[in-house]
Amino acid sequence: DSLEIVAGERRWRAAQLAGVHAIPVLVREISDTEAVELALIENIQREDLTPIEEAEAYQQLLDDHGQTQDGIAEMIGKSRSHVANMVRLLGLPGPVRGMLEDGRLTAGHARALVGRQDVLQLAERIVARGLNVRQVEELVRKASKPKVVQRPEPTPADANTRDLERRLGETLGLKVQVRHTGEAGGEVRIRYRDLDQLDEVCRRLGVSDDG
């Protein structure tokens, strides 16, 4: 009966090149499905594998062979988080995956971009600036911060404004502040001490409890 090398062909070829013609082997009777699975695992351990090729191999084991991320991690001797992070790379847009394939981006770069809506723009900035992974993480952190809208500062009260505040205060019987913010308009603040004072302001402004 003939035997087929399912895993370890690269090591066998290296032994042949080194002139070693007798090497220890493990002979097992396995199904075609198991053979494909072992071949995939062997392929994953190639040093020249791109991140996308590695991620696709993990996904094939998950989809076609019923493996779990924990099971794959145990088989290849890596952490479950490594397997999960690599599989997430398959969710990146095509152009970004292309940058991974040709080496312009590393897996570390790409992991920091997963899930972002502006991933392509960020990826292009990373490549153009030659950023390292730590710089990418900082860039993503800054891009994730909500933008703070600066409100116009009120202009200092002039004599006319102070006079208006005084007259309004006398009419309402409360402290009144008028603040202009230029073309954006402004605001009038009426300070009250308790609900009775608030009711009095409403009465003077013609606002009743029944609407």
Side-chain angles (χ1 to χ4, degrees):
D1 294 340
S2 61
L3 299 176
E4 178 182 356
I5 298 177
V6 175
E9 183 174 350
R10 287 180 294 118
R11 291 186 292 272
W12 175 76
R13 291 186 182 278
Q16 295 297 304
L17 290 173
V20 179
H21 301 294
I23 57 174
V25 297
L26 178 63
V27 179
R28 292 174 55 188
E29 185 174 343
I30 59 176
S31 66
D32 290 341
T33 300
E34 289 173 315
V36 172
E37 187 173 311
L38 286 172
L40 273 172
I41 295 169
E42 172 77 3
N43 186 53
I44 289 169
Q45 296 172 337
R46 282 170 37 207
E47 293 182 358
D48 60 343
L49 211 62
T50 70
I52 292 299
E53 288 173 336
E54 183 180 349
E56 288 174 340
Y58 293 152
Q59 192 65 59
Q60 187 174 351
L61 286 169
L62 292 168
D63 293 343
D64 299 342
H65 298 273
Q67 286 290 346
T68 64
Q69 291 182 353
D70 287 322
I72 295 171
E74 185 176 351
M75 285 188 294
I76 63 174
K78 295 185 179 181
S79 67
R80 179 190 178 280
S81 61
H82 171 82
V83 176
N85 286 332
M86 295 304 294
V87 170
R88 289 191 188 102
L89 299 183
L90 298 178
L92 292 169
V96 180
R97 289 172 58 174
M99 296 178 191
L100 268 170
E101 290 278 22
D102 61 24
R104 284 180 291 166
L105 289 178
T106 67
H109 288 132
R111 280 196 295 270
L113 301 178
V114 170
R116 294 200 51 90
Q117 293 184 344
D118 55 349
V119 58
L120 180 56
Q121 292 83 352
L122 287 172
E124 290 172 343
R125 290 172 65 183
I126 292 166
V127 172
R129 298 181 185 180
L131 302 180
N132 59 37
V133 174
R134 181 172 295 182
Q135 290 171 323
V136 171
E137 291 172 348
E138 179 65 15
L139 177 66
V140 170
R141 186 184 66 79
K142 289 181 178 179
S144 300
K145 281 187 175 181
K147 294 183 179 179
V148 178
V149 178
Q150 297 290 337
R151 299 181 64 182
E153 291 291 332
T155 57
D158 56 21
N160 291 332
T161 299
R162 289 195 297 272
D163 181 62
L164 177 60
E165 289 175 340
R166 180 185 59 76
R167 289 187 285 114
L168 285 172
E170 290 175 352
T171 300
L172 297 174
L174 298 170
K175 184 180 173 82
V176 176
Q177 288 182 317
V178 178
R179 292 291 180 265
H180 298 293
T181 53
E183 296 180 358
E187 60 183 20
V188 176
R189 294 185 180 182
I190 303 172
R191 297 180 179 273
Y192 60 88
R193 185 174 60 253
D194 50 37
L195 293 179
D196 289 338
Q197 283 193 334
L198 177 59
D199 289 340
E200 179 63 17
V201 171
C202 291
R203 186 187 66 78
R204 296 194 182 198
L205 294 176
V207 178
S208 61
D209 290 340
D210 59 6

